[in-house]
Amino acid sequence: MSQFSKIWGELRQGGNTISLFVVILFLATVLASLSNMLLPETSALHVSTYTITLLGKYLCYAMLALAVDVIWGYCGILSLGHGAFFALGGYAMGMYLMRQIGDRGVYGNPDLPDFMVFLNWDTLPWYWFGMDQFWFAMVMVALVPGLLALVFGWLAFRSRVTGVYLSIMTQALTYALMLAFFRNEMGFGGNNGLTDFKEIAGFDLSADGTRLGLFVITAIVLAAVFVSSQLIMRSRLGRVLVSIRDSEARARFLGYRTDHFKVWLFVYSALIAALAGALYVPQVGIINPGEFSPVNSIEIVVWVAVGGRGTLYGAVVGAILVSYAKTRFTSLVPESWIFMLGALFVFVTIFLPKGLAGLLKQKYRHDDTDSNGSGTVATKMAGGSST
């Protein structure tokens, strides 16, 4: 364990966090894919298509956690409404998938989704036009959540709303959207949402190959988002964002338009969340107003807190671990999960304020000090010797 910690620390301090993350994700994706395709179902090492779909869902959650870590960990903006951007991206993808059903629905109407026929709608609403085209749907995946984040962020940050007040506003935003999407007259399926999808871009969604392809695409997108976010945070822009987090008044005094930086980062974070939602829907097969629930947004914050905010890789690890725990415990004691989640957040806040990533950093520093006498990591990195 000590040797592993030293290797991990050297890779991170050497600026290879990106390479290490991409390599681990690549190996995990390749191994899972090959085990699914090549090994027989009777093999103990076979990865079922159900597991592949579950892993794809976890990777979508990891991307969503990364989106929150970008805005919370590096700029100090605690958003309790990122579930709204995730759900909007999911609804945009769901609308496209519903249009692909055509006359294969229960009522056989080639133009109207089943829920519209059931509600006696005569024509397709104007905001559904163009959603039968994949490229247009992908534009809407980014445009709608991005525009909402731009307007909300501009109004909030220009008014210098910060702290708990901003968190409450973001939570109110997602709650208002949840109430709106529950209404049948909104044209998004009401309480039942959008489901019964058949295909995506001409590929059968029930086919094993399509499930595997979606898993691989999700892994690639997660790697791309992680790399781009790391590069941004290591740039001059990232240093400005961290300075705003640590002392916004000082950054403003130095001449930076802090509201502009915060709006830009808020939109960037919202786009990541929306992309995660778009990849999530075809893999789970449904999107409903429950995804707007404020509880979901709070759960995302728990993921980031458990993994360690301000690290990006910590958010990914936290999302996967907590989501796996939720899968296991909700099948055993479903009514107790929300209490376990709250207890976990309290435990992390008190005993692991920097999350698992902080614990790993502390372990590495301890091992490095033990192996170099009184020398420190900083001395070692500076090329000095212990005294």
Side-chain angles (χ1 to χ4, degrees), residues 85-160:
F85 305 123
F86 178 81
L88 287 173
Y91 264 98
M93 173 61 79
M95 292 167 70
Y96 163 76
L97 295 175
M98 289 297 291
R99 293 300 309 273
Q100 299 307 298
I101 296 176
D103 58 3
R104 290 173 292 179
V106 175
Y107 298 100
N109 192 307
D111 299 318
L112 299 179
D114 284 339
F115 72 88
M116 292 187 183
V117 178
F118 177 78
L119 295 173
N120 296 319
W121 290 42
D122 297 325
T123 57
L124 195 70
W126 64 268
Y127 44 86
W128 278 75
F129 292 157
M131 297 304 292
D132 56 333
Q133 301 295 321
F134 183 78
W135 69 269
F136 185 80
M138 292 304 98
V139 171
M140 291 298 105
V141 165
L143 182 61
V144 175
L147 186 59
L148 176 62
L150 177 63
V151 174
F152 179 88
W154 186 82
L155 293 173
F157 300 133
R158 184 180 176 86
S159 302
R160 298 187 181 180

Side-chain angles (χ1 to χ4, degrees), residues 363-383:
K363 173 67 176 175
Y364 166 68
R365 284 196 296 266
H366 176 73
D367 291 342
D368 187 82
T369 301
D370 289 345
S371 63
N372 291 279
S374 60
T376 63
V377 175
T379 302
K380 183 178 179 182
M381 293 307 298

Side-chain angles (χ1 to χ4, degrees), residues 217-248:
I217 291 173
T218 304
I220 293 173
V221 174
L222 173 60
V225 169
F226 180 88
V227 171
S228 64
S229 299
Q230 277 281 21
L231 293 177
I232 290 172
M233 297 312 163
R234 289 181 178 180
S235 66
R236 181 174 178 270
L237 172 60
R239 291 192 292 271
V240 173
L241 294 171
V242 172
S243 70
I244 293 173
R245 178 196 67 187
D246 294 340
S247 179
E248 183 174 356

